[in-house]
Amino acid sequence: MAEPIPYLHPKAVLSMDIEVKVNKPNPILSKEKVVIYNRNVDVKSTIKALETGNNVLITELYNNGSILIKELQQHLSEKLPNKSFKEQREFRLVYHKLSNLILIEIENHQLLVKKSPNIGWFEKLYPDTKDLLLTYPQVQGLNSSWQWYKNGITIPVLRNKIHPYYGVYFPTRFEHLELFDNWLKRYSGPKKTAIDVGIGSGILAMQLVKHGFQKVLGTDTNPNAIVGLKESMGTTKLSRKIELDFASLFGKWNQPTELIIFNPPWLPETRNSENLDEAIYYNKSLFNNFFEAAKERLLPDGKLVLIFSNLAQIIGLSKENPIEQEIANGGRFQLERCFTKNVKKDTEKTKRDLNWRNKEEVELWVLTHK
């Protein structure tokens, strides 16, 4: 049986002077002016209410929310194209806007409707607010996240499961992790310290520890990543091997190191991008800022390893690879080696037109000082 995960308050003090407050869905404290939905209500009129900007409250059964969500998806699929990458993104924007007008009530940290799941995040994330409303998609996300957190997720390159905290990205495909693991097996340099920029769920850092690194220094701008890792490591061996800083890029880690790891977002932001997920989209200044800072923190014989993908090129979001641009024009680093690995093809069960997936490759770039 797995050891219980220690509790950490959503406002976690990680040092003498740093308090990290986790990201969580903003609670809605009033249910005034809502349209009631259950199985006795006409679903088409309910969708019209959503399209005119009205909130809809799910009542009676938890599954009523799923029924309404499914009908909304079907309604939008008949109205909007949903094949190309750009069409899918526009579809998701409209769906996100309308589906998040669907609300569900929580009382005493439990969903009020019948036959609903028990979601421990309500008490962990809202210890001082027992009664609230959240959107139905938020609750669906919290439910899935709670299962992953409670039961753990198997990662092929790690010995133990990870328990990702709410709001922290974790991979569902593993080719890039396998590529990194294979590189680490062949790495013959010193293993005193490494810096993991954007540590996320901690998988790359754990791989480094597995392959003998004495200390891994990690940063992240997502407070949930820092709080979640601090909680899951507890007082285990990992807590002595991995140190954390809630900061962008290199944070407080100024001492030069022999290895820097960076698995940046793989897609560039676009002008019409809203509510950007920083784990997926990067801004124009990210890579230049990273390479500039990395130049000062990499030892003379050190290695800079970036994990990337050709995804932006094959779906038409960008014609340029920012790492190739740095090598060609940055004047700071040179290429030692680039390794690639094909991403597994989607199954025939996939309904969407994702032929571009078959062309996707993950990349591991090894750079050294010029």
Side-chain angles (χ1 to χ4, degrees):
M1 181 179 294
E3 294 183 3
I5 301 169
Y7 173 78
L8 202 62
H9 194 276
K11 288 185 178 179
V13 179
L14 300 185
S15 69
M16 292 292 289
D17 57 354
I18 298 175
E19 182 184 89
V20 178
K21 184 178 179 181
V22 300
N23 292 326
K24 59 187 178 183
N26 291 324
I28 301 166
L29 302 178
S30 172
K31 56 179 179 180
E32 293 181 2
K33 298 180 181 179
V34 296
V35 175
I36 300 299
Y37 177 75
N38 54 52
R39 295 190 183 190
N40 297 319
V41 177
D42 179 61
V43 69
K44 291 184 179 179
S45 63
T46 304
I47 291 175
K48 285 183 180 180
L50 291 171
E51 290 181 319
T52 55
N54 290 290
N55 285 113
V56 171
L57 180 66
I58 299 301
T59 60
E60 296 184 355
L61 297 173
Y62 180 76
N63 192 50
N64 286 341
S66 298
I67 292 171
L68 181 55
I69 287 285
K70 185 177 180 180
E71 292 290 342
L72 177 61
Q73 289 173 329
Q74 180 63 34
H75 172 75
L76 293 178
S77 67
E78 294 171 358
K79 289 180 61 176
L80 302 172
N82 187 25
K83 289 187 176 182
S84 71
F85 181 85
K86 291 182 179 179
E87 289 172 346
Q88 289 167 15
R89 186 168 57 182
E90 291 300 320
F91 180 94
R92 287 194 297 269
L93 286 173
V94 176
Y95 169 74
H96 180 269
K97 178 181 177 181
L98 297 182
S99 63
N100 277 281
L101 293 174
I102 304 172
L103 308 180
I104 193 164
E105 192 169 4
I106 297 146
E107 188 175 278
N108 198 26
H109 291 141
Q110 298 291 327
L111 288 164
L112 196 56
V113 292
K114 297 178 181 177
K115 297 185 178 180
S116 57
N118 180 31
I119 303 174
W121 287 129
F122 296 148
E123 188 169 359
K124 284 179 70 69
L125 296 179
Y126 308 96
D128 303 320
T129 308
K130 294 184 177 182
D131 303 335
L132 64 150
L133 292 164
L134 291 173
T135 74
Y136 194 80
Q138 287 172 341
V139 170
Q140 287 181 308
L142 285 162
N143 183 35
S144 297
S145 172
W146 182 251
Q147 300 308 314
W148 296 324
Y149 171 82
K150 182 176 67 173
N151 300 322
I153 297 169
T154 299
I155 304 294
V157 296
L158 297 179
R159 299 185 184 98
N160 300 317
K161 290 181 177 181
I162 64 168
H163 295 265
Y165 202 84
Y166 171 75
V168 179
Y169 167 82
F170 64 89
T172 56
R173 296 180 298 156
F174 309 110
E175 289 87 356
H176 63 299
L177 302 178
E178 294 164 352
L179 201 59
F180 183 50
D181 214 62
N182 289 334
W183 182 82
L184 282 173
K185 290 174 183 176
R186 297 189 293 268
Y187 174 77
S188 58
K191 297 182 178 181
K192 185 177 179 181
T193 63
I195 298 177
D196 182 2
V197 176
I199 195 168
S201 55
I203 296 173
L204 299 181
M206 294 176 200
Q207 287 180 266
L208 289 163
V209 171
K210 183 184 80 170
H211 286 280
F213 276 81
Q214 297 175 35
K215 183 74 73 174
V216 181
L217 310 173
T219 65
D220 210 292
T221 57
N222 180 357
N224 296 38
I226 301 298
V227 170
L229 276 174
K230 185 76 174 178
E231 178 185 277
S232 65
M233 291 191 301
T235 58
T236 65
K237 175 184 174 182
L238 277 178
S239 68
R240 299 187 292 275
K241 294 281 188 178
I242 299 174
E243 295 186 20
L244 303 170
D245 187 27
F246 174 47
S248 63
L249 294 180
F250 292 86
K252 66 182 180 182
W253 313 123
N254 294 315
Q255 189 71 21
T257 183
E258 55 259 38
L259 182 64
I260 295 173
I261 307 298
F262 189 31
N263 179 16
W266 291 352
L267 298 175
E269 68 179 22
T270 57
R271 278 182 290 181
N272 62 347
S273 296
E274 295 182 6
N275 300 317
L276 282 177
D277 185 340
E278 292 184 355
I280 300 174
Y281 296 97
Y282 62 85
N283 61 51
K284 291 182 180 180
S285 63
L286 174 65
F287 281 92
N288 183 65
N289 292 343
F290 167 77
F291 285 120
E292 182 179 0
K295 185 69 176 176
E296 303 298 320
R297 290 166 176 81
L298 188 66
L299 286 168
D301 295 325
K303 297 186 186 298
L304 179 61
V305 173
L306 295 100
I307 300 171
F308 207 56
S309 164
N310 66 344
L311 181 59
Q313 284 76 46
I314 61 177
I315 63 177
L317 281 186
S318 177
K319 295 181 180 179
E320 300 170 333
N321 181 313
I323 304 173
E324 290 178 341
Q325 286 184 299
E326 168 64 24
I327 295 168
N329 306 314
R332 292 170 284 217
F333 297 100
Q334 61 187 357
L335 177 65
E336 179 179 284
R337 186 93 184 258
C338 179
F339 301 88
T340 62
K341 185 178 178 65
N342 291 328
V343 174
K344 290 180 181 179
K345 296 181 179 180
D346 287 297
T347 64
E348 293 181 359
K349 294 181 181 180
T350 303
K351 295 182 179 180
R352 293 184 298 176
D353 182 12
L354 296 181
N355 291 328
W356 50 267
R357 280 280 191 217
N358 302 332
K359 301 175 184 178
E360 185 182 358
E361 292 181 338
V362 289
E363 307 162 346
L364 187 143
W365 298 78
V366 184
L367 309 185
T368 58
H369 284 292
K370 271 194 172 180

